[in-house]
């Protein structure tokens, strides 16, 4: 690596996030040396954002720094893990100080919020692409998996659904009856990982997933991997005023059902745990909605407010057919 690249790392990526005692050696050597708490499992996850695939050229680097870490923290949240460390592989067309400062600022702010330390990475030249790996800790018994749902569980979701997809629709000029404002844009540009909610769920829920591909697909993964099905009442889906306005105006439910990038959590829990989950979510300041129940038959049924049911396969949301 050229010395300018060492300088780049020292300037923009050293000392990012919280200085942690479990980091014996961080950035600057061949490997980072890290201590996992005895008796806990290491939860790891990685996501890549590629320019023109996952974000547009010219995207504010600060928002990108935030989002690259946020989507990874969302995976830890969906596992019920406590975030600890991150690594960052950056491919850059050139070394642009303003871009690097912005990116590093967005990444740092979110890392500090969750006590995460950046402990290593890789820097290369090429088309802009950002890969982050996060590492967290979880007790084996508390790890939330996609295959833990049981018939009779209630299905819950955090926050609200379809906001990010609505932003995309407005930006793509596919819907002109609504203007973008800061609150709405943040749903797409600055997703907030549900880390606190995931920790509440870790001791109380049976299964969880973060909603990156849309509720139908992601709940479909839980059902398929758990060998169950379920029914969801569309009337119970948590919608922001903006998304509700869109659904009311168009009758189109695809935003909350198929819209990706919300990074809310979808989970299932035994009915007797629901009250404790409600209390925990209230303490975590997280909106919670119960939207349906898990059933034995491997079919996902979506109950339309008008009373009709739409049936999707538990493997996903390939097709809906009116009953
Ligand atoms: P090596 O050649 O041994 O793989 P590098 O020269 O690529 O090491 O990196 C030097 C140090 O800087 C390593 O500790 C590596 O983890 C860290 N590093 C490189 N790029 C980044 C980055 N984008 N963010 C954080 N740390 C980085
Ligand atoms: Mg080396």
């Amino acid at each position: 690596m050229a010395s300018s690249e060492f300088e780049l790392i020292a300037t923009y990526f050293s000392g990012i996030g919280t200085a942690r005692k479990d980091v014996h050696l961080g950035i600057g050597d061949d490997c980072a040396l890290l201590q996992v708490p005895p008796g806990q499992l290491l939860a790891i996850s990685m996501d890549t954002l590629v320019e023109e695939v996952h974000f547009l050229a010219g995207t504010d680097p600060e928002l990108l720094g935030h989002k690259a870490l946020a989507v990874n923290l969302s995976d830890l949240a969906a596992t019920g893990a406590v975030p600890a460390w991150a690594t960052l592989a950056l491919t850059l067309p050139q070394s642009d100080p303003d871009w690097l400062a912005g990116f590093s600022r967005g990444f740092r702010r979110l890392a500090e919020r969750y006590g995460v330390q950046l402990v290593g990475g890789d820097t290369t030249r090429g088309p802009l692409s950002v890969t982050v790996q996060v590492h967290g800790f979880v007790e084996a018994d508390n790890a939330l998996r996609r295959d833990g749902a049981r018939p009779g569980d209630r299905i819950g979701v955090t926050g609200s659904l379809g906001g990010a997809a609505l932003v995309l629709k407005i930006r793509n000029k596919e819907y002109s009856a609504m203007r973008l404002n800061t609150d709405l844009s943040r749903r797409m540009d600055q997703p907030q990982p549900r880390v606190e909610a995931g920790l509440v769920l870790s001791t109380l829920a049976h299964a969880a997933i973060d909603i990156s591909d849309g509720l139908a697909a992601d709940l479909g993964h839980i059902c398929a991997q758990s060998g169950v099905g379920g029914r969801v009442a569309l009337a119970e889906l948590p919608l922001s005023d903006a998304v509700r306005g869109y659904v009311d105006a168009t009758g189109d439910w695809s935003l909350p059902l198929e819209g990706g990038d919300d990074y809310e959590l979808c989970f299932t829990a035994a009915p007797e745990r629901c009250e404790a989950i409600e209390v925990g979510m209230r303490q975590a300041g997280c909106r919670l909605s119960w939207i349906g129940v898990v059933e034995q038959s491997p079919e996902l049924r979506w109950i339309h407010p008008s009373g009709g049911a739409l049936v999707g396969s538990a493997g996903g949301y390939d097709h809906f057919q009116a009953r």
Side-chain angles (χ1 to χ4, degrees), residues 251-320:
D252 171 20
W253 284 88
S254 68
L255 293 187
L257 290 178
E258 293 176 282
D261 279 331
D262 280 324
Y263 298 101
E264 297 294 350
L265 300 181
C266 174
F267 60 92
T268 84
E272 60 270 23
R273 301 285 195 200
C274 291
E275 207 179 309
I277 289 173
E278 286 164 14
V279 171
M281 290 291 186
R282 218 172 297 133
Q283 284 166 352
C286 181
R287 179 178 177 185
L288 162 71
S289 305
W290 300 110
I291 61 169
V293 291
V294 175
E295 294 173 331
Q296 198 130 31
S297 107
E299 178 176 76
L300 253 177
R301 299 156 70 78
W302 305 85
I303 312 301
H304 194 271
S306 69
L310 302 163
V311 179
S313 73
Y317 183 72
D318 311 326
H319 62 278
F320 272 162

Side-chain angles (χ1 to χ4, degrees), residues 157-169:
V157 291
T158 62
S160 67
L161 301 176
L166 178 59
V167 172
L168 204 60
K169 230 181 209 335

Side-chain angles (χ1 to χ4, degrees), residues 167 179-190:
V167 172
R179 289 272 179 77
L180 281 179
N181 59 36
T182 321
D183 267 2
L184 202 52
S185 300
R186 273 170 57 97
R187 293 295 300 174
M188 181 70 191
D189 300 332
Q190 265 188 299

